[in-house]
Amino acid sequence: MKAIIPAAGLGTRFLPTTKGVPKEMLPVLDKPVLQYVIEEAAAAPACDGSVVILSDIKESIESYFQPDPAYHSRLKKEQHHEACETAEKLGALLTYVYQDAPRGLGHAVHCAASKTDNEPFYVLLADVVVPNHTILQELYEVSQAHNGASVIAVFAVPDDQISRFGIIAGTCEEILSDSGIVPSDDAAYDKPGAVWKIDSMIEKPKRELAPSRLAIFGRYLLSPRIMELLSTQEPGAGGEIQLTDSLVRSLEEEPMYAYVIDPNEGYDTGTIPNYIAANVHMALADERYAALLREALADVFA
Ligand code: G1P
């Protein structure tokens, strides 16, 4: 099964930088955001490669993951070769599809239709980094426990953020624990580990119309039927072809589950404040940078 990684957006929140560098190539600590996402997909259960959706301004992404003997000949230190080779090895697991115009997440995902062989597929939004690779494993376990059903990662958000996300409605029927999936006796349980059966969902609702505070996070494991439904999906919120709208249509035909993640499992890098925060969190968790950053922060707050 394939992982689909949409990376075709203009990245306008990061202008002017993104006029010259795709937003997915901005570094978190020592490597591009997209490299974390591709590493996560490569480690996912049953995943045999990733399809990266690009636009014509993103060709530098392909170059980055390709071997470049001329560039290597200019590198002197062994560790510099190794750093490049890590990215180049990942490149061998990638295929690329070019999206002709920005027509929404659903359209971008559907661009990979010919590559998914009518099998289930993962979707990883490229502005979220999940350093410990936990979430796709969890989605896979929940899906396996439900005959291969679609499972999407969700997280509880505060009221004032609801209108930025797709929001689900449903009930908590189970909890994924260390000993596997066990029944839940609290239909509204929205803490990490909760597994909800989804009744409906809505893309970017007004706060007062939101059926819950569980927001779609950016990691999905989807059934092949979703790809078929995307082929006939009409534009929705913002005039774009929304993945969420095809997920809603699929609910008439097949069950879908949501898995509540721990928000500390992933970092959003999609806005400048969140990007800065992701770097700080990850630097503090990395022994190469933690002590120096603590010192610098102590100076700032002294
Ligand atoms: C997309 C999805 C939305 C999800 C969000 C997560 O929206 O359409 O359902 O909650 O990603 O980041 P976007 O942020 O691309 O507008």
Side-chain angles (χ1 to χ4, degrees):
M1 112 168 111
K2 293 287 181 288
I4 301 176
I5 304 176
L10 283 172
T12 49
R13 288 177 182 141
F14 288 83
L15 281 170
T17 309
T18 40
K19 181 166 181 284
V21 182
K23 126 182 129 162
E24 297 78 8
M25 297 306 287
L26 298 177
V28 169
L29 307 187
D30 61 344
K31 62 189 172 191
V33 171
L34 184 61
Q35 187 163 335
Y36 289 91
V37 179
I38 289 170
E39 286 171 352
E40 181 191 349
C47 183
D48 59 5
S50 294
V51 186
V52 185
I53 314 300
L54 299 176
S55 63
D56 56 1
I57 54 162
K58 302 289 185 86
E59 280 160 1
S60 60
I61 291 181
E62 267 200 69
S63 317
Y64 174 77
F65 288 103
Q66 254 161 25
D68 183 345
Y71 187 76
H72 274 273
S73 68
R74 294 157 64 184
L75 299 173
K76 302 220 163 43
K77 293 188 179 159
E78 187 54 31
Q79 79 253 38
H80 292 163
H81 284 284
E82 282 169 13
C84 294
E85 280 160 9
T86 306
E88 291 160 7
K89 278 188 195 136
L90 287 170
L93 304 169
L94 304 181
T95 49
Y96 302 93
V97 176
Y98 281 80
Q99 185 186 26
D100 50 8
R103 294 172 57 194
L105 177 60
H107 182 265
V109 169
H110 188 256
C111 287
S114 66
K115 312 283 182 193
T116 53
D117 297 329
N118 208 25
E119 288 180 356
F121 56 95
Y122 293 106
V123 177
L124 292 84
L125 302 191
D127 42 19
V128 184
V129 171
V130 180
N132 294 331
H133 301 168
T134 42
I135 295 175
L136 297 183
Q137 173 70 39
E138 291 156 345
L139 299 187
Y140 186 79
E141 275 178 50
V142 175
S143 178
Q144 290 293 297
H146 292 282
N147 300 316
S150 297
V151 186
I152 62 179
V154 295
F155 68 128
V157 293
D159 279 356
D160 62 352
Q161 289 188 31
I162 279 177
S163 60
R164 285 183 45 204
F165 295 99
I167 302 288
I168 67 151
T171 45
C172 173
E173 296 194 340
E174 295 157 326
I175 294 177
L176 180 61
S177 67
D178 289 342
S179 49
I181 292 185
V182 295
S184 163
D185 53 13
D186 178 356
Y189 188 70
D190 63 2
K191 301 284 181 301
V195 178
W196 285 49
K197 184 146 190 299
I198 298 177
D199 297 332
S200 71
M201 54 185 101
I202 174 165
E203 184 65 19
K204 303 192 174 69
K206 290 202 177 107
R207 185 196 307 194
E208 56 278 14
L209 296 179
S212 77
R213 58 184 196 117
L214 290 177
I216 301 173
F217 170 77
R219 295 292 182 268
Y220 311 70
L221 170 50
L222 299 177
S223 81
R225 182 67 185 137
I226 307 291
M227 196 56 98
E228 289 172 0
L229 290 170
L230 280 171
S231 68
T232 56
Q233 187 60 53
E234 299 288 338
E240 297 192 329
I241 296 178
Q242 297 289 353
L243 176 59
T244 304
D245 292 344
S246 287
L247 299 181
V248 171
R249 285 164 68 209
S250 80
L251 290 170
E252 288 168 20
E253 303 175 24
E254 51 184 39
M256 186 183 304
Y257 296 85
Y259 174 72
V260 182
I261 61 154
D262 181 336
N264 297 321
E265 285 180 271
Y267 301 104
D268 176 30
T269 66
T271 65
I272 289 181
N274 287 356
Y275 172 77
I276 294 168
N279 273 280
V280 172
H281 278 293
M282 288 177 61
L284 289 173
D286 188 320
E287 61 182 21
R288 294 171 299 171
Y289 311 112
L292 273 175
L293 181 57
R294 271 181 210 289
E295 256 175 55
L297 291 174
D299 282 349
V300 171
F301 292 112

